[in-house]
Amino acid sequence: TKTLNFSFTRSISRPNYSNLSQIITYINPFFEWASNINLTPTITNEVSATLQFRTTSLQVTAYQRKNPVYYSASYDASSKKFQVIDQNFDSEKGINLTLNMPFTYKNGTLPTC
């Protein structure tokens, strides 16, 4: 009735080929979307533990990403243009906590709106 699981995962996520170009898309005279040829892969380390007791489970996951890729926005006052570009950031760290606990309502159906 009780289970405890531990896991460690290391993965690499490479940029999409469509992001690895020097293309700038002009949306309108004041806004442009740019790609970045200098993106590097993202390496993720993840540790998780799951405790399950009967039908209820609790999972704790901690992760660390090196060089994650996200959109970055900037405004150039001299050209009066707003630009969005994919960019590598230094790192990202986080913890996720998940609780799964099934329940029933009256005769096993959920209320409707």
Side-chain angles (χ1 to χ4, degrees):
T1 60
K2 296 177 190 169
T3 307
L4 181 61
N5 293 323
F6 291 101
S7 70
F8 173 77
T9 306
R10 185 175 190 141
S11 62
I12 186 169
S13 176
R14 292 183 173 85
N16 191 341
Y17 283 113
S18 63
N19 296 341
L20 296 175
S21 65
Q22 286 299 108
I23 296 174
I24 296 176
T25 304
Y26 293 95
I27 308 299
N28 61 43
F30 308 103
F31 179 63
E32 55 188 34
W33 197 280
S35 299
N36 186 353
I37 198 168
N38 299 315
L39 293 176
T40 58
T42 301
I43 297 173
T44 303
N45 294 318
E46 183 177 287
V47 176
S48 68
T50 305
L51 174 64
Q52 183 165 354
F53 179 68
R54 295 186 183 148
T55 60
T56 303
S57 66
L58 177 66
Q59 180 179 23
V60 177
T61 304
Y63 66 90
Q64 179 179 7
R65 292 187 180 109
K66 183 179 177 189
N67 298 323
V69 177
Y70 291 110
Y71 295 115
S72 175
S74 63
Y75 179 74
D76 184 9
S78 63
S79 65
K80 296 182 181 178
K81 287 188 182 178
F82 181 76
Q83 185 180 59
V84 175
I85 188 168
D86 291 325
Q87 180 180 344
N88 280 106
F89 288 86
D90 293 333
S91 66
E92 175 185 5
K93 297 176 186 178
I95 296 175
N96 296 323
L97 180 65
T98 306
L99 175 65
N100 291 319
M101 188 167 44
F103 67 94
T104 57
Y105 179 77
K106 291 186 181 178
N107 61 356
T109 60
L110 293 175
T112 58
C113 295

